[in-house]
C-alpha cells in the first residue's frame, strides 16, 4: 500500500530530524487515507517539531476526532497547545491523554512542564 510506505518513509525522516520532509510524506499519505488518525498524529508531531503549532493543533484535533479512544492524539494536541503558550488548555489535553494511562512517565513530565509554565505565567 502506498499510504503505508509514505508513512514508513515519513517516520524515517522524522527519526532523522528531517521534519519538513516528514510533513511532506505524511501529507501525501493523508491524501490517500484521509480517515487515518495515525497519519494526522504523525504529521502533528512533525509540525510541532517545526514550531508550526497552529497546523499541528489542527492535525491533532483531526486525530482525536477520528480516534477519540487513542491517547496519542491528545498528547499531540497538548504539545501543540503548549507551543502556542496556551498552557491551561495544554494541561487539560495532557489530562485527557493521561486518563488512558496515568502511569505514562513522558506524559506526566510534559504535563508538569505545562503546569509549571502556567504557574509562572499567572
Amino acid at each position: 500500500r502506498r499510504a503505508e510506505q509514505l508513512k514508513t518513509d515519513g517516520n524515517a525522516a522524522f527519526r532523522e530530524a528531517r521534519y519538513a520532509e516528514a510533513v511532506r510524506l505524511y501529507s501525501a499519505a493523508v491524501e490517500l487515507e484521509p480517515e487515518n488518525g495515525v497519519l494526522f498524529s504523525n504529521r502533528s508531531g512533525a509540525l510541532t517539531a517545526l514550531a508550526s503549532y497552529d497546523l499541528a493543533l489542527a492535525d491533532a484535533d483531526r486525530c482525536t476526532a477520528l480516534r477519540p479512544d487513542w491517547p496519542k492524539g491528545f498528547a499531540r494536541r497538548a504539545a501543540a497547545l503548549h507551543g502556542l503558550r496556551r498552557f491551561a488548555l495544554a494541561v487539560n489535553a495532557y489530562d485527557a491523554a493521561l486518563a488512558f494511562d496515568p502511569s505514562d512517565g513522558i506524559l506526566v513530565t510534559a504535563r508538569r512542564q505545562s503546569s509549571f509554565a502556567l504557574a509562572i505565567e499567572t
Side-chain angles (χ1 to χ4, degrees):
R1 260 173 59 186
R2 181 73 179 134
E4 188 61 33
Q5 184 59 54
L6 289 164
K7 178 183 142 200
T8 298
D9 293 346
N11 292 347
F14 186 90
R15 278 191 305 277
E16 295 167 6
R18 294 182 290 118
Y19 302 118
E21 177 71 4
V23 168
R24 186 187 70 73
L25 291 162
Y26 294 140
S27 294
V30 162
E31 287 185 29
L32 297 172
E33 291 187 7
E35 301 301 310
N36 185 330
V38 172
L39 297 174
F40 286 97
S41 171
N42 289 4
R43 188 169 69 181
S44 177
L47 288 164
T48 295
L50 291 169
S52 296
Y53 302 119
D54 286 322
L55 295 172
L57 179 58
D59 274 0
D61 286 344
R62 182 72 176 131
C63 174
T64 59
L66 290 167
R67 297 198 55 184
D69 58 341
W70 192 45
K72 192 147 192 181
F74 294 98
R76 298 289 194 201
R77 176 175 165 68
L81 288 164
H82 185 97
L84 290 167
R85 304 184 57 80
R86 295 165 62 185
F87 301 122
L89 292 174
V91 169
N92 291 341
Y94 280 122
D95 286 343
L98 284 163
F100 294 96
D101 183 5
S103 65
D104 185 317
I106 293 170
L107 290 177
V108 169
T109 298
R111 185 197 184 282
R112 191 174 299 127
Q113 290 171 340
S114 288
S115 293
F116 184 70
L118 178 62
I120 290 173
E121 189 175 74
T122 54

